[in-house]
Structure formats: C-alpha cells, structure tokens
Amino acid sequence: MSHNFRHWPIIVILSIVSLPLIIMFTFQIIDTFTTHPIDSMIPDKITFEQFSFLWDEAETGRANIWEVTLNTFIFATTTAVVVCTVSMTTAYALSRLNFPFRRFFLGGLIILHAFPTVTLIIAIFLILQIIGLYDTLMGVIMVKAALELPFGIWIMKGFYDNVPWEIEMAGVQDGASRFTVWWKLVLPQVQPGIFALMIFSFLSGWSEFLLPQVLAPGNDAQVLSTYMTALIADDTKIDFALFKAVGMFYALPVIAIYLIFQNKLMNIYGGGTKG
Amino acid sequence: MKNFNWLALGFLAPALIVITVFFLAPVILTGIFSFTSMSTSTGVTGGEYLLNQSGLRALADKGLNQTTLDQLNNAGYVVDEQGLAVLAEKHGAATADEMRKLHENGQFSARRDMERALKDLKANKIRSTKDRKAAAELFKHSLLNERFETEAKFRTALVEGDIPTEDHEIIVTQAYTGWVWTTDNIKLLFSLPSTLRYAGNTLIYVTLTLIFNIGFGLFLAITTFYLPAKSASTFRAIWFLPRILPPVMYVLLWKWLTWDTGFIATTLSWVGVAPKNWMLDTSTHAWVVVVLINGSFGASLGMILFSSAIKAIPSSILYSSEVDGANRWQQVRYIILPHLRWPILFITSYQTLSLLTSFEHILLSTEGGPGRATEVWSLAAYHIALDNYGGNLQYGLGATFAVALVIIGIIASLFYLRFFNFNEMVAKPKIEG
Amino acid sequence: MQITLQNFTKTFDDVTVIEDMNLEVKDGEMLALLGPSGCGKSTTLFAICGIHRVNGGKILFGDSDVSDLPSQKRNVGVVFQSYALYPHMNAYENIAFPLKVRKDKPADIKRQVHEIAKLTHIEELLERKPGQLSGGQQQRVALARALVRKPDILLLDEPLANLDAKLRLEMRAEIRRIQLETGITAILVTHDQVEAMSMCDRIALMHDGKIVQLDKPSEMYDNPANKFVADFLGNPPITFLDAKHQGDLLVLPNGHEIKNTKLNAAIEMLQIGIRPECFGPQFGTGIKGVVKFIEKQGREELFDIELTDGSQLRSIQSSGSNLSIGDDIDWGLALDDLLLFDMQGDRL
C-alpha cells in the first residue's frame, strides 16, 4: 500500500511463520507422486503406485472408492441445492415481504446464525433413530442442509437487501405479482449470491466429516471423509503415502474450486463469519 | 394487515419446517434426553419387560420379601390347555386326556412336583427321565429370562404366577428394559471428578486458541496489508487453505508432521534425537499441536475480516500519518489498531462460542489423548453419547453434558444480537401491498 | 382520467406524514407536486400508485375508488428517479415487460413496443442493456416502459434529478411533448421549481404534509398565498424586510416610507417581500446601502446589498453595471410588485 516502508523484512518474517504450512503443502504434493527411503524426506523415484486404490479391487470390508466418491458428490450437491433453494425463498421473504412477527423471525435468524449447531448432534442422532433415517445418506443430507440453512439465509438476505427497492416497485407498477417480481426481476440480480452460496455449500458438504461419521457410519452411506478416517484409524497398516494419495484425491476438487473462485470464497467466508 | 400474506407464508414454510425439526426439536430434546437413562442397552424408542437374575438381586436389595422372590425364582407350572395341546402332539392324545383328567388347572411350584405328576400317570407313563423333563417344560410358566413385549402381558404373567398383587409395581419397574426418567445424570455430572477436568481443559483450549487466533489473525492482516498485492495474496492464500481444505485432510497433514515417522521425527533424527510421536508423547505436546491446528484454522477468519476492516480505513489518514512522520509501528499502533476495535471484539465473541462447542479437529488429531489430557467438554459429550470404547453409549448422560453447551450457545447467540443494528435490519418493507 | 384525493391520510407507525389532504387533478392535466424534501410529495405519489396503503380517506381515479386496489390493478405508469430499469434485460425487454406480464400476444407486444419507441425516439437503442445507455436514454426507456401499456395515469418521481444540466433542459421539453401527445393525466414530483413551472399546467406546493397552494405556475409566482410559497419560488430567492404600518404609510427599517392605502388599519407590523427583480436603479431612489457581494452570472448580475440599518436586500440586473464591492448605492423599489405578509407569514 504505502511506498514509505520496505517490504522485505515483512516477507522474511511471514515466510518463517508460514514455514510449517508450506512444508506440509509441499510434501503433500511431493509424497503423493514419489517414494523416498525410510529415514529420509528426499524422494528417489517418481511413481503413481500410491493411487492404485483408484483402480484396484477394494479390500474386503472396505467400500469401493468410486461408490464412496459418488456418495460424497450426491451428498455435497444435494445439500447445496437444498440450501440454495430454501435460502432463496426464505431470505427474500425476510428481506422484502410484510408478514406478522417479522421482527421475531429476523431476531431468530441472527440467533440461529450464531448458534453452535454441533451441540445438537446427540439429539439429532436420536431423532434420526426415532424417525428411521439413521444410517442413510438421505438423513445426513437433510441434517447437513438444515444446519447450513441459517448461514445460507443470512448470506442471501444480504444480497437481497442490496437490490434496489425501485426495481421491485417498477415491477409491481408494471402489473407483475410479487411472485413474478421475485422470479423475473429480483432473482437475476442476486445470481452472483446464489452462485457463491452454491459453491460454499458444496465445499462445506464435500468436506463434512462429523455428521456422516455420527449419523451414517455404515458402509452404504460412506463418504470420502469417513472413508479416509476409517483408513487412517486402521492401525494395522500405517501408510502415509497412501493416506496422502487418498487425501489428494479427496481434496482435489476443493483445491480446484478454490483456485478458480478464490476471491468470491474469501468474501463469503468473511461475510458470513461462520467457523 | 388487510390480506394475509400467503406468498410470505409459502416462502417461509420450508425453512420453518426444517428449523423446527432440526433446531427447535433438538434443543428441547437435548434437555429432555438429559433427564432419561437412555443408552445403547435401553434402546431409544422403548423397551421390553425382562426379569433376570441380576434383576432379582436388585429386587432383593429393594426389600422385596423372600416368598415373592422365591415365587419369581422358582419356575411355576400350570396344567393348562396350551400345554396339553403340545403334550397331545408329542405323546399322544391319550396321555394328554389322562393328564387333563387328573390335574386340570393343577399348579406345581417346583419342577420336582411337576415331573412327579407326569411320572405318576397310570395309563400312559412317560418313562424316560429326559422326556419327562421335556414334558414338564411344556407346562412351565416362568417369569425369569422371558421377554414380554408389553406391560399388560407381563402383568398377566405375574397374575398367572400368583405373585402377590402388592408386589407387582416394584417388579414391573425392575423388569422394564427401556429408558426411564431420572435425575441421575445431573447428580453424576456434579460428582464425577472428570467433569472438572473437562471444564478445565475447555478453558485452556479456548483461551490459548483464541489468543493464537486473534493475535495471529491480526499479525497476518497487518503484515499482508503492507505488502504489494501479489505477495499479499500469496500469503493470504497459504493461510486460507487450512479453512478450505477438508478437516480430515488438514489434520492428516499435521499428523504426518508430528508422527513418529513424520517430518519432525525424521529431520530431528539427523541430529541424533530419537524418533517419537511429537503429537501424543506428552500432554504438553498434545496441547501445542491442538492449539496450532485450531489456531492455524481459525486465524484465517481474523485475517479476512481484519484485512477488509483495514482496507476500509481511508488511505488519506494513513498517508497523512506518514507525512506527520509516523514509523510503521506507530502507524499500526495509533492508526490501524484503534480502527480494528469492533472487528476484534466481534471475532473474539464469535470464536469463543465456536471454540467452546467445536471438537472436530481435536477428535481427528489427538482424540482427547494422551489419556484424557486434551479431552474438552464438547468432545466428552461426543465420547459419552456417540463413540466410546465400552460400547454402551450413554445418550442420556451425553445429553446432560450437551445441555450445558446448548445453554451457553443460546445465551451467547442472544448476546450476538447486540452486534447488529437490529432496528435497521427490521426496517419495514417499502411496498405495503 | 381525473384523479381525486379525498381527506387522504398517511401514517408510518405512529408518525402522521399527511393528514386530510384534498387534491383534484383534471383529466389530461399535468400537475406538479412541488416541495422541499420531506414534505410528503413522494409519499403522496406512492399512495396514488398503490405502493403505500392509504390510512384514511379515499383515492379516486375517475369515479372509481382505488384506495384498496393493489398497484397491479391500478393501471398507473411510474417513472422512478433512478429509472429502475431491469439491469438484466435490454431496452426492448424492459419495455415489453408490462405487456408480457399482461400476457399480450407476441406480435402485439412487438407492435406496441415499436410504437412507443418511436414516440420516445429510442428505436435504435432497443437492443442495448441499461448499462450501455446514457442517463437521458435510460430516462426515455423508463418513460416508454411506463407508457407502453397505455396507463390511465403517468407518475414521474423526480425524473430529471439524475441528469446533467443540459440533458435536463432537453428532457423537460421531451416529457412535456410526450405528455401532450398522449394526452395522459400526469403528476410530476419534484423539488425543482423551474421544472415544475416549465413543465406543468398547475403546481401543488406542499409543506409539512399539506398543500399550501394549488395554482397555475405564473399565478403562484405573482400571487403567493403565504411567505413560504413566496420564499420557495423564485431563484435567486426573495428577501424580506420588516415594516411598520403608520396611517397610510409603510415605514421600512431604514426609515424609508412607502405610500399604501389598501391595508387594514389594525395591522401594526408586517413583512414586505421584495423579489430581486423589484429592486434596482430603474425604480428610482430612496433605498441607500452598500454593495456587499456581486455574483456575475453571465447575462445577469446579482447584488447583495446591505442597507444602512443592517438589513439585507437582493437585486438582479442586466450585466454591465460597473459597480464593485463596497460601492454605495441609492436605488428604488417596484412598488406595484411588492408582496405584503403579516407576521405569521400569511398574505395580506
């Protein structure tokens, strides 16, 4: 920003404190594609051996990696779609429509937005058992979407609040119903918001660990996070090269999306202040 | 309101349903569950009625008189049509008829007496002892080790077994295998020594991580502010990655760093330090790693918010401070930090709340170990209710632990309301139609 | 279509913004709602088009009561201050939107859009998005959209506020031309007196939620009902001097006496409103003072004069006076055009 100060001391300090992370990220990439002697960190051979889990037959008792990936994809996509759709309508009502107890609902939204949902996991676990959705992908999707919802509504409300009122007034004057005004005139203005929320919810679903672990521990509904945890927890064979390769496979979509939409994502993480 | 707003209702309905089922209901149910004895062995939906030896011992302890106990303990035998029908199948209709003639509705309290009655049949003796024993079983009306699906069935059985009516109540209660209402969880919570330990761990965890988060977030925001755009965004990207990476993956990297064959162990072995697990060997190490993992994850939030707050400072103020001769440190101290007062307060309160209740990273890294050194309150609730080595998951007790967190959550989020200009938020919609 | 407001009242929560307002706009007339910001003129406009609900009284279009009709059923065209063009639609789609909502046939829509585009001179711009249009062009598109479905009434909310001075002049004439060509009843909300005076048949001047005067533009300027109207209209604004009424003389603070026989003898103190064009050397002498400031406006010059007793007067004259700051002057008043008010501000 300013030209009156020098940059290099800052770069040196920042590089030093960032070193652990840099080492981790660097070796994550190196180790997945190379092998190294047992007491060394220096790679001696390039290999794709670590990725054999992708094409080899799954070991007994372990789910097929592609089925797990499909599960993860369904989980993340459905969650994102549900969160976006419900947030789209609810946030609009909260931002723009007149209805009784509006104050109350808005206050509730702020409270829910801050409320630590993870404390509810025990009760949710029992509820799913009672209604029979325990250990199903459907159940976890519903819970995940529900817990993401206050955040989604919050973000979308922010976007709706920025649409000029006059656009809606003009639409109403032109003879359109409030629904048409929302659908044809307002939604196109908040498209960037819907898109950002979609990416955010997808990433959040893709990365989710605790909910599938607790609510759907069986093999049928396994997702990549629980698959990987089970792999690491199996202490009969500790093979960090394999773990890292699976992790690489798991994190690749995330990193790709991150690299493409970096600025959008930083905004939504900052604007939403969740975590 | 002249016309009820159906559009608003329709738009809100999905969210209302979801929020009722997955927020309101769990909040209330957490409270309700904490007053139950729910666990794996009691099941969630309801139980059966089953009296076994340990049940009998418990009844004795509760002062049930010896006669009734004996009655329950000794299998009773009744010659009824049901038993006779099976007898007819096995040993012929004649045997059954004779039995009916001699002993219809006869009762025997001891197996010996029942067997004797079978032995004493004149025309159709059952000769083999083994057969007699089997035949006796046909008339057995035991209460012990037998499952009854409903309370009514169990009570009928008690009546049939001639158990004195005044003792029914206590026996029914004892025999119920489902969950019951109880305040034991709360008593347990206050009496367990580990409770205090979890609370203490939580305090350490939240305090240290928070200091790291805020301090480091500030440090990153201010230092990257002074860098040219390109290097600034590089460093921000590096520190943002922990937030964006799946937690399982992120913690794996830390495991690799600290494992006994990992980076630290290997590099230190070059200078002669014996390899060891740098995460779990001592509780101090465990704490350092836990704080670093959560801190590196949390610092990015501070970094983002502080950065945008610093960007919002009018550049003319910064320029004029430089013209006035401020060095970099003075600029940070007197210009930037005062501008960050609100964001700092906001993030502090927000992260306090999420740190109090989050346990995902600890679960994935130390799992609360070594021993229980890094077991925080929320992780304890998780372990008790959802994942323990004993296998008997105590949902009720876990819920009691969670209630404390839910209450903190509600209070803190109510406090959170104050951060928002609520009156501006609820400004009336401008179209009144 | 004639518009009638009967005892119209509007409240927001506990605050009454407009109380018992009565107004009649004649069929085919263009009326200005003029007033300072916060006077309730936009609230009135929003109530007429149905965006605000009426809390008391009635709004009639012709003979039918529309007070409880939603905006969609009132058939009113509105041009907003920001134009409120739909950013994701091009000009054609913007104009076609009201027809599409009405479910007109595509061929009809096309014909009507082109007709209105011809009227508003935007035929070549139909493919452009609002972002690619200049302010004046956006204004024309907004006007076309408001008019395309042949509304009974056209409402214009500060339509020229976002235009630069030159365009504003052009659009003033354009809007008036289109209004006259279509013969539509129109209400223009503005805080700019020049706009109101140059475009409208009549002006309703509003103050604190009330209509203080409803008149033709020239009438209102020459014959203000009270001090507020006199002060609000006219640029540069009018100045006031306190005067004493003695017999048939009005005595100014500097002692200058004006002959006057029309006043009721009971009045002792009054205020005289003197427009800048009513004070100058061409009206004789008698008012002595010092030039405090000269504002050269090109064709005209504006003088701030401090009289010997310290009170201020303004004068506007054609350029070329050769006066400079500090010069003494001795000028006269155009006695026939003085405006007299009592101490409460009502016209005498």
Side-chain angles (χ1 to χ4, degrees):
Chain A
M1 127 117 253
S2 175
H3 299 286
N4 290 341
F5 303 128
R6 276 167 308 177
H7 298 138
W8 67 262
I10 300 182
I11 295 190
V12 170
I13 296 171
L14 268 178
S15 304
I16 292 171
V17 294
S18 309
L19 206 59
L21 287 181
I22 295 172
I23 288 173
M24 283 190 243
F25 298 145
T26 315
F27 276 95
Q28 161 66 29
I29 295 164
I30 293 175
D31 285 358
T32 28
F33 296 108
T34 61
T35 58
H36 56 79
I38 206 115
D39 54 351
S40 161
M41 286 285 147
I42 318 295
D44 55 4
K45 200 169 95 217
I46 292 181
T47 176
F48 290 96
E49 195 60 22
Q50 276 98 322
F51 283 101
S52 64
F53 69 94
L54 288 177
W55 46 84
D56 284 356
E57 194 77 9
E59 299 166 52
T60 40
R62 224 177 265 307
N64 179 292
I65 181 79
W66 293 107
E67 278 169 29
V68 175
T69 310
L70 181 66
N71 274 349
T72 319
F73 184 76
I74 294 173
F75 177 70
T77 323
T78 323
T79 308
V81 169
V82 172
V83 170
C84 282
T85 337
V86 180
S87 305
M88 247 156 61
T89 59
T90 313
Y92 180 71
L94 288 176
S95 171
R96 289 297 164 94
L97 296 178
N98 242 332
F99 51 89
F101 307 113
R102 188 160 170 273
R103 255 186 103 80
F104 169 82
F105 284 121
L106 280 168
L109 175 64
I110 297 181
I111 291 172
L112 279 184
H113 176 233
F115 188 80
T117 49
V118 68
T119 56
L120 301 176
I121 196 162
I122 297 172
I124 289 176
F125 167 82
L126 296 174
I127 289 176
L128 284 198
Q129 296 233 324
I130 292 167
I131 61 179
L133 284 175
Y134 176 69
D135 209 2
T136 61
L137 200 55
M138 169 84 179
V140 211
I141 289 173
M142 279 170 61
V143 174
K144 175 67 181 168
L147 299 189
E148 284 290 315
L149 203 53
F151 175 79
I153 297 175
W154 182 256
I155 288 286
M156 281 314 296
K157 186 181 172 296
F159 278 96
Y160 280 125
D161 285 348
N162 284 333
V163 177
W165 264 107
E166 290 197 332
I167 294 232
E168 275 189 74
M169 292 178 178
V172 168
Q173 256 359 284
D174 285 344
S177 67
R178 279 313 280 281
F179 182 83
T180 312
V181 166
W182 170 71
W183 182 248
K184 288 240 169 103
L185 304 182
V186 179
L187 268 191
Q189 319 301 322
V190 296
Q191 244 172 17
I194 298 172
F195 184 68
L197 181 60
M198 188 74 104
I199 293 177
F200 177 87
S201 321
F202 179 86
L203 285 186
S204 170
W206 186 268
S207 305
E208 179 63 43
F209 158 68
L210 209 52
L211 292 179
Q213 173 82 358
V214 172
L215 304 176
N219 259 354
D220 290 342
Q222 206 166 41
V223 291
L224 282 168
S225 60
T226 48
Y227 175 89
M228 208 172 138
T229 314
L231 201 67
I232 297 171
D234 181 1
D235 43 16
T236 51
K237 34 184 181 306
I238 291 166
D239 179 358
F240 268 97
L242 172 67
F243 299 166
K244 282 186 164 182
V246 176
M248 193 68 160
F249 176 73
Y250 175 32
L252 214 53
V254 177
I255 293 166
I257 291 173
Y258 171 57
L259 289 180
I260 300 170
F261 303 111
Q262 194 173 337
N263 288 328
K264 249 193 185 96
L265 279 169
M266 280 218 197
N267 276 340
I268 198 168
Y269 277 93
T273 64
K274 193 84 178 172
Chain B
M1 183 128 310
K2 275 182 179 142
N3 307 309
F4 184 74
N5 200 330
W6 288 102
L7 184 66
L9 182 71
F11 270 24
L12 288 174
L16 286 182
I17 294 169
V18 166
I19 281 161
T20 313
V21 175
F22 293 103
F23 285 91
L24 293 185
V27 166
I28 296 164
L29 286 178
T30 307
I32 292 176
F33 289 145
S34 69
F35 286 99
T36 67
S37 63
M38 260 187 212
S39 68
T40 317
S41 57
T42 67
V44 176
T45 40
E48 306 162 318
Y49 293 81
L50 173 71
L51 208 53
N52 51 21
Q53 283 300 339
S54 70
L56 277 188
R57 275 197 298 279
L59 280 172
D61 291 343
K62 284 180 187 166
L64 193 67
N65 66 49
Q66 198 54 45
T67 339
T68 317
L69 280 176
D70 284 343
Q71 263 175 303
L72 287 168
N73 194 10
N74 297 324
Y77 297 85
V78 178
V79 184
D80 56 5
E81 279 307 316
Q82 212 184 335
L84 286 169
V86 189
L87 190 69
E89 251 172 58
K90 291 210 168 142
H91 297 280
T95 320
D97 283 343
E98 190 185 354
M99 191 71 191
R100 182 180 294 123
K101 212 156 79 195
L102 290 173
H103 297 292
E104 187 163 18
N105 290 331
Q107 289 184 8
F108 306 90
S109 51
R111 168 190 288 267
R112 207 162 13 102
D113 298 333
M114 184 69 221
E115 281 177 24
R116 182 170 303 137
L118 285 164
K119 196 179 175 185
D120 290 352
L121 288 176
K122 294 236 165 53
N124 306 289
K125 259 192 193 129
I126 300 173
R127 289 179 203 283
S128 122
T129 324
K130 200 178 137 203
D131 285 355
R132 267 204 313 277
K133 275 196 172 133
E137 283 298 303
L138 298 176
F139 298 100
K140 189 172 175 187
H141 270 243
S142 176
L143 288 167
L144 228 48
N145 295 329
E146 196 159 329
R147 286 176 190 279
F148 297 88
E149 282 157 25
T150 65
E151 188 177 341
K153 280 185 187 162
F154 185 61
R155 280 187 188 271
T156 318
L158 286 179
V159 173
E160 280 172 359
D162 269 344
I163 309 293
T165 324
E166 66 269 20
D167 292 334
H168 283 190
E169 218 46 60
I170 185 172
I171 298 169
V172 168
T173 314
Q174 179 60 46
Y176 185 58
T177 62
W179 55 269
V180 291
W181 301 108
T182 172
T183 53
D184 289 353
N185 295 325
I186 294 157
K187 287 179 202 149
L188 204 58
L189 186 75
F190 284 106
S191 61
L192 283 177
S194 48
T195 309
L196 210 60
R197 163 141 213 209
Y198 299 151
N201 282 348
T202 310
L203 191 71
I204 296 173
Y205 167 63
V206 172
T207 318
L208 292 181
T209 314
L210 199 61
I211 292 171
F212 188 95
N213 272 355
I214 306 288
F216 209 68
L218 266 177
F219 173 75
L220 287 172
I222 294 173
T223 47
T224 53
F225 173 71
Y226 282 111
L227 288 183
K230 206 159 185 189
S231 33
S233 66
T234 309
F235 281 112
R236 284 199 199 119
I238 290 174
W239 283 94
F240 191 62
L241 261 177
R243 180 164 291 271
I244 204 99
L245 278 181
V248 178
M249 172 71 206
Y250 169 62
V251 174
L252 173 72
L253 292 177
W254 281 94
K255 277 192 166 172
W256 166 79
L257 197 73
T258 55
W259 209 257
D260 43 16
T261 56
F263 183 80
I264 296 178
T266 312
T267 36
L268 285 183
S269 72
W270 298 339
V271 292
V273 179
K276 58 178 178 177
N277 187 326
W278 287 84
M279 185 195 292
L280 290 171
D281 64 335
T282 66
S283 51
T284 318
H285 280 179
W287 273 118
V288 170
V289 174
V290 162
V291 169
L292 282 178
I293 290 179
N294 284 284
S296 308
F297 173 80
S300 56
L301 184 69
M303 177 183 80
I304 297 168
L305 287 183
F306 296 146
S307 286
S308 56
I310 295 176
K311 259 192 211 127
I313 301 175
S315 47
S316 57
I317 295 184
L318 294 169
Y319 287 140
S320 72
S321 73
E322 282 164 34
V323 174
D324 291 344
N327 63 26
R328 181 139 53 189
W329 166 246
Q330 287 166 326
Q331 193 174 49
V332 169
R333 170 70 188 80
Y334 296 108
I335 311 286
I336 294 181
L337 282 182
H339 270 95
L340 295 181
R341 200 176 316 144
W342 274 100
I344 290 174
L345 191 58
F346 177 83
I347 292 200
T348 308
S349 64
Y350 191 88
Q351 294 220 322
T352 309
L353 183 56
S354 56
L355 285 173
L356 269 176
T357 52
S358 70
F359 56 89
E360 197 171 34
H361 287 126
I362 306 184
L363 175 67
L364 284 166
S365 54
T366 65
E367 271 193 87
R372 290 281 170 85
T374 53
E375 181 99 346
V376 293
W377 190 283
S378 50
L379 184 59
Y382 169 82
H383 273 147
I384 292 166
L386 300 171
D387 179 23
N388 66 31
Y389 287 113
N392 188 18
L393 304 175
Q394 295 165 285
Y395 308 136
L397 183 60
T400 314
F401 271 82
V403 161
L405 295 175
V406 170
I407 291 172
I408 292 174
I410 291 173
I411 294 171
S413 8
L414 281 172
F415 177 75
Y416 192 72
L417 257 180
R418 313 218 66 195
F419 274 104
F420 295 91
N421 188 351
F422 192 58
N423 283 326
E424 189 182 296
M425 257 191 71
V426 298
K428 279 254 176 71
K430 288 191 180 159
I431 297 179
E432 300 180 337
Chain C
M1 175 99 34
Q2 175 180 304
I3 309 167
T4 318
L5 305 189
Q6 289 177 354
N7 300 325
F8 161 58
T9 301
K10 178 66 202 168
T11 58
F12 290 110
D13 293 323
D14 305 330
V15 186
T16 304
V17 180
I18 290 169
E19 205 170 357
D20 287 335
M21 175 169 154
N22 287 292
L23 176 69
E24 206 180 286
V25 187
K26 297 188 198 107
D27 188 20
E29 181 184 35
M30 181 147 176
L31 179 118
L33 281 179
L34 176 66
S37 56
C39 71
K41 55 190 193 299
S42 288
T43 309
T44 311
L45 181 100
F46 282 150
I48 294 172
C49 66
I51 283 168
H52 286 341
R53 297 253 132 196
V54 185
N55 298 96
K58 274 186 198 168
I59 297 176
L60 304 174
F61 288 179
D63 297 325
S64 60
D65 183 354
V66 297
S67 312
D68 288 329
L69 279 186
S71 299
Q72 290 93 336
K73 292 186 179 159
R74 291 196 189 186
N75 201 20
V76 173
V78 182
V79 175
F80 292 91
Q81 181 172 355
S82 64
Y83 318 134
L85 295 179
Y86 312 132
H88 57 295
M89 300 181 180
N90 65 23
Y92 179 91
E93 290 164 327
N94 260 286
I95 301 169
F97 184 75
L99 305 176
K100 231 180 216 162
V101 176
R102 200 166 65 181
K103 300 204 166 64
D104 280 11
K105 288 199 195 89
D108 283 347
I109 294 180
K110 201 169 171 191
R111 185 180 47 75
Q112 295 179 73
V113 172
H114 283 287
E115 254 169 45
I116 205 79
K118 205 169 161 192
L119 177 74
T120 49
H121 302 331
I122 49 167
E123 286 148 299
E124 326 76 58
L125 307 174
L126 288 178
E127 297 304 315
R128 298 209 200 154
K129 289 266 176 84
Q132 303 163 311
L133 296 171
S134 70
Q137 291 167 332
Q138 290 189 30
Q139 170 89 78
R140 286 168 191 270
V141 174
L143 203 55
R145 188 180 65 188
L147 290 171
V148 71
R149 57 177 184 153
K150 310 228 157 37
D152 299 325
I153 288 153
L154 176 66
L155 303 180
L156 304 146
D157 183 13
E158 306 264 11
L160 306 174
N162 289 345
L163 298 179
D164 58 50
K166 206 174 153 214
L167 259 177
R168 201 176 295 177
L169 210 66
E170 177 192 324
M171 287 312 294
R172 273 205 312 242
E174 272 298 281
I175 292 176
R176 181 61 165 166
R177 171 183 69 81
I178 292 165
Q179 188 264 332
L180 288 172
E181 263 179 54
T182 52
I184 192 170
T185 314
I187 297 181
L188 169 78
V189 160
T190 180
H191 64 272
D192 180 356
Q193 45 172 315
V194 183
E195 239 170 83
M197 295 213 252
S198 60
M199 292 167 74
C200 296
D201 298 311
R202 286 194 301 160
I203 296 173
L205 185 60
M206 291 185 71
H207 181 47
D208 283 346
K210 289 189 184 66
I211 295 179
V212 283
Q213 189 170 358
L214 175 62
D215 232 324
K216 287 192 178 127
S218 53
E219 258 315 284
M220 196 172 268
Y221 185 79
D222 296 339
N223 248 329
N226 58 30
K227 197 180 160 190
F228 172 79
V229 178
D231 195 18
F232 192 83
L233 290 187
N235 186 21
I238 196 167
T239 40
F240 296 93
L241 289 180
D242 289 343
K244 256 187 226 147
H245 186 211
Q246 291 176 343
D248 56 359
L249 290 177
L250 300 177
V251 185
L252 298 185
N254 65 351
H256 186 76
E257 293 175 347
I258 301 168
K259 207 168 157 80
N260 187 299
T261 48
K262 286 176 252 172
L263 276 182
N264 182 337
I267 296 164
E268 278 182 19
M269 289 296 296
L270 71 158
Q271 301 175 79
I272 304 179
I274 302 162
R275 294 210 184 270
E277 65 268 27
C278 301
F279 173 50
Q282 69 270 41
F283 304 114
T285 54
I287 315 278
K288 293 193 174 92
V290 180
V291 177
K292 296 305 274 186
F293 187 69
I294 305 173
E295 192 179 310
K296 295 194 191 295
Q297 297 184 333
R299 191 159 38 83
E300 285 155 339
E301 284 173 351
L302 179 65
F303 298 94
D304 282 0
I305 308 291
E306 190 177 294
L307 304 189
T308 41
D309 63 308
S311 51
Q312 302 272 343
L313 274 184
R314 221 170 270 136
S315 168
I316 193 160
Q317 292 161 30
S318 302
S319 298
S321 67
N322 293 328
L323 283 171
S324 48
I325 294 176
D327 289 356
D328 291 323
I329 54 102
D330 185 3
W331 290 345
L333 295 170
L335 294 179
D336 294 341
D337 295 328
L338 298 183
L339 302 167
L340 305 187
F341 303 95
D342 64 17
M343 295 312 282
Q344 282 73 49
D346 286 331
R347 182 78 183 277
L348 291 169

